[in-house]
Amino acid sequence: MGAAGRIHDLAVVGTGIIGAAAVALAAARRPDASLLAVCSGTVHDGSTGLSLAVDILSGRTAEQRSLAVRSLRLLTLLEPIAPALRGRRVPTYWLVPEDGVAAADEQLVGDRLTPCDPGENALLAEPFGLLPAAPGTMLLRSAPARVVEPAAVVRQLLAPLTGRPGNALVEGFTVRAVLPCSDGWRLVAEDGGELRARKVLAAPGAWALHGPFAGAARRHGARTKKIVAYRLRAVPPGRGTEPAGPRPLLVVDEPDAFLLPAAGGDGTDWWCSITSTHWDCPPGRTELYAAGPDRAELDAVRGDHLPGFRGDIVGSRVGADVYAPGFSPLTVPLDGRNDAVLATGGAGSGFRLAPAIADRALDLLDFR
């Protein structure tokens, strides 16, 4: 029987990082369950695929920090399914205002910022110039960050859908409506196609406010915000020689930016993630682009904190994410029922928090 002809135990709408984590966790919780996942395009072609997927064990709020710890524990279950989650470890350094060190420390989980030694200062001077450049700013280090490749992680987390009879992954299925029926829910597509499931976990990412789940998302104060990262090609370090050791991640704590070495290439490309001020943006990647205010923010970060860094813009990644009040991810019932749940609101920390968000949504569905 095909996907259209059966009633699945659980349907996951959306195959970004939250939806993919939900599939893997659901398969681990109930190996005998019939699972279905649907996406409007192809897997990971939304903002998840554009993410730089940097994981520093931290959180803006106590709830985020709790979810970060929960996600870390869940990695022991998920990494055998998705080895790409192990990622690469990147030495991590911070530029923090002197009066903001305590606040930055508070956001870290099980870690503290510590002073750099002279050798580390020399390592950072190779790509960035002498640091810190801004008065009243300290250069510190933390534990290494984990950086993963988003597309590989999502593909591996979705593997239970293609490896077990009764499970299905349906691409190109744009959900127009989720309607209750006698045995659960009907997923109705824009083209009139229908699928059925006893329970629904909606993880639509930035599309949460532009589809059948928009009402629930708006009732809980959710909004979309643009996420921007510029690709910078730096002057090759030191007479064309490679730097000693792995290239570092540099976090600029205020105004919430970071520079991440791009994987591959000749070691001269960096991603600079900045904080866009564009709220309530459209979710589709064809409608999003880096604009004048984003370039102004990049120039401010470089001018104030990295005047010694020389690099040209050679590209950008622009996506959108959902933010709820207080940076709290949303895991809320749909239509007052306990067999359909909306899970969204990564607030720029989707890869760090996704396993915990998905796990919490499955708990709410009582999917055991």
Side-chain angles (χ1 to χ4, degrees):
M1 183 183 295
R6 72 162 57 239
I7 302 172
H8 291 84
D9 293 312
L10 174 68
V12 177
V13 180
T15 54
I17 185 58
I18 294 176
V23 166
L25 291 171
R29 286 182 175 216
R30 288 185 52 185
D32 60 334
S34 171
L35 306 178
L36 165 72
V38 302
C39 56
S40 58
T42 57
V43 296
H44 63 68
D45 67 352
S47 291
T48 287
L50 298 169
S51 172
L52 297 178
V54 175
D55 181 10
I56 299 171
L57 194 60
S58 63
R60 299 173 187 264
T61 65
E63 181 187 12
Q64 278 199 348
R65 292 190 288 275
S66 175
L67 289 171
V69 171
R70 184 171 178 175
S71 285
L72 181 64
R73 291 171 180 158
L74 288 165
L75 286 181
T76 60
L77 176 64
L78 293 175
E79 282 182 355
I81 302 168
L85 278 168
R86 298 187 182 100
R88 56 190 172 105
R89 301 290 169 172
V90 181
T92 301
Y93 299 89
W94 299 65
L95 289 172
V96 183
E98 291 175 355
D99 60 0
V101 174
D105 265 338
E106 185 181 7
Q107 294 189 34
L108 295 174
V109 177
D111 191 17
R112 291 185 65 84
L113 297 174
T114 57
C116 297
D117 61 41
E120 291 172 307
N121 283 65
L123 171 68
L124 293 169
E126 191 76 58
F128 301 128
L130 295 177
L131 298 175
T137 299
M138 299 182 66
L139 176 63
L140 305 166
R141 71 166 180 264
S142 69
R146 177 176 62 103
V147 182
V148 304
E149 202 287 300
V153 168
V154 167
R155 283 195 303 270
Q156 291 173 3
L157 288 173
L158 293 174
L161 294 174
T162 55
R164 302 182 189 184
N167 295 349
L169 170 64
V170 180
E171 298 176 289
F173 191 98
T174 302
V175 177
R176 174 175 57 84
V178 181
L179 305 174
C181 60
S182 60
D183 47 15
W185 296 88
R186 295 165 51 222
L187 307 182
V188 183
E190 290 284 1
D191 60 9
E194 288 194 16
L195 297 165
R196 288 185 297 165
R198 293 182 177 86
K199 299 187 178 188
V200 174
L201 192 159
W207 291 93
L209 286 103
H210 294 78
F213 315 110
R218 290 197 179 98
R219 282 194 299 274
H220 289 86
R223 300 173 68 186
T224 53
K225 189 166 82 72
K226 189 163 68 172
I227 307 294
V228 180
Y230 286 92
R231 188 167 183 132
L232 306 176
R233 182 152 297 157
V235 174
R239 297 184 299 280
T241 60
E242 288 295 316
R247 293 186 297 158
L249 165 70
L250 181 65
V251 179
V252 184
D253 187 59
E254 181 59 47
D256 194 13
F258 64 80
L259 273 88
L260 172 73
D266 61 1
T268 62
D269 281 13
W270 298 77
W271 287 107
C272 184
S273 172
I274 57 99
T275 299
S276 177
T277 57
H278 184 175
W279 286 89
D280 305 314
C281 61
R285 64 166 66 184
T286 59
E287 304 168 278
L288 291 169
Y289 52 89
D294 305 313
R295 176 59 189 271
E297 182 66 22
L298 172 69
D299 291 343
V301 170
R302 296 176 66 176
D304 294 342
H305 299 281
L306 302 164
F309 180 82
R310 298 287 179 260
D312 298 322
I313 297 173
V314 294
S316 60
R317 289 185 182 182
V318 186
D321 204 353
V322 173
Y323 287 68
F327 299 98
S328 295
L330 292 181
T331 46
V332 295
L334 292 171
D335 299 328
R337 295 178 51 161
N338 62 2
D339 55 358
V341 168
L342 172 64
T344 189
S349 301
F351 263 83
R352 181 183 315 131
L353 304 181
I357 295 171
D359 199 51
R360 192 162 73 174
L362 290 170
D363 282 348
L364 199 57
L365 287 169
D366 195 26
F367 191 83
R368 306 178 191 282

